[in-house]
Amino acid sequence: MREITVLDKTFKLFKSEDEIRASIKVIAETINTDYQGKTPLFIGVLNGCFLFAADLIREISLDCEISFVKVASYKGMKSTGEVNQLIGLDRSLEGRDIIILEDIVDTGNTIENIVDLLEKAGCKSIRIATFLLKPEAYKKSINIDYVSMEIPNKFVVGYGLDYDGFGRNIKELFVLKD
Ligand code: IMP
């Protein structure tokens, strides 16, 4: 079994390039069917989604657009809670069919915040496509519409996902060694 080291941790091979590509093709075909006659706007959530977005979009045969956002969290000057903001939205979402592209849905906190923010923008519909979902960790009620792979509640790296900023360039998906 192939192993790699990223910073101070050892990871073992979990999903090959072929397995990743095949799983993405499956959801792309479903999206192509579900959105026939529509012109969806894909919104990729950076940084982690960049490889997933690149591979998924090339399997989409619909007329479509793609744009990318970053989620910024900051502590309000007076409030104690965190407020999330989407940076980089460069077009109107009014009346659009939105498909959010995420690298991974873990507890679901991030995706819930993103959906809350997008719902205020007057979209016609919002669906979520994620490369990975950790069902054991997912705590929210929002439906995750398109999932390439469900994985156990373990830390993974590669294919866009990082460990402390590193490992995003790895072609395959690796899982933390026990
Ligand atoms: P959530 O808000 O708990 O759903 O977490 C989502 C974010 O946590 C993702 O966008 C990732 O940045 C990060 N994350 C969660 N699990 C992993 C993992 O196994 N590897 C790398 N990043 C992860």
Side-chain angles (χ1 to χ4, degrees):
M1 180 60 70
R2 243 179 84 203
E3 291 187 355
I4 55 161
T5 302
V6 180
L7 298 174
D8 59 342
K9 300 260 188 291
T10 306
F11 294 82
K12 60 182 183 189
L13 185 61
F14 184 42
K15 301 287 178 188
S16 69
E17 276 187 271
D18 285 351
E19 285 175 282
I20 292 171
R21 287 287 168 88
S23 72
I24 291 172
K25 219 169 167 176
V26 171
I27 63 163
E29 279 164 12
T30 311
I31 292 171
N32 284 333
T33 305
D34 290 353
Y35 284 81
Q36 258 178 34
K38 295 181 177 167
T39 310
L41 168 58
F42 291 90
I43 298 184
V45 182
L46 294 171
N47 292 330
C49 86
F50 69 105
L51 292 180
F52 172 56
D55 284 341
L56 179 79
I57 201 85
R58 283 180 291 176
E59 300 292 343
I60 297 296
S61 52
L62 308 157
D63 286 337
C64 63
E65 290 181 274
I66 186 162
S67 187
F68 291 90
V69 295
K70 272 197 165 196
V71 183
S73 311
Y74 62 93
K75 303 268 181 198
M77 300 251 297
K78 287 182 183 157
S79 103
T80 48
E82 278 199 351
V83 182
N84 287 321
Q85 221 190 1
L86 291 182
I87 298 176
L89 268 182
D90 56 358
R91 68 201 70 195
S92 168
L93 307 185
E94 189 95 38
R96 298 301 303 267
D97 292 304
I98 305 297
I99 304 175
I100 303 168
L101 302 180
E102 264 283 18
D103 55 348
I104 185 164
V105 175
D106 185 0
T107 63
N109 285 333
T110 309
I111 197 67
E112 187 180 62
N113 276 314
I114 293 168
V115 170
D116 281 352
L117 292 166
L118 289 179
E119 272 176 347
K120 295 179 187 129
C123 315
K124 187 170 162 203
S125 70
I126 301 175
R127 285 191 184 173
I128 301 159
T130 186
F131 171 47
L132 301 173
L133 171 69
K134 293 180 180 173
E136 294 156 33
Y138 187 60
K139 301 225 165 25
K140 306 292 177 184
S141 54
I142 306 172
N143 188 43
I144 309 298
D145 306 277
Y146 306 103
V147 178
S148 277
M149 290 182 179
E150 291 192 349
I151 62 166
N153 195 7
K154 292 185 176 171
F155 193 81
V156 291
V157 74
Y159 195 72
L161 288 106
D162 73 306
Y163 165 47
D164 219 1
F166 287 84
R168 294 193 195 276
N169 55 316
I170 298 165
K171 289 177 183 171
E172 307 93 344
L173 194 66
F174 282 76
V175 64
L176 187 63
K177 229 180 133 185
D178 295 323

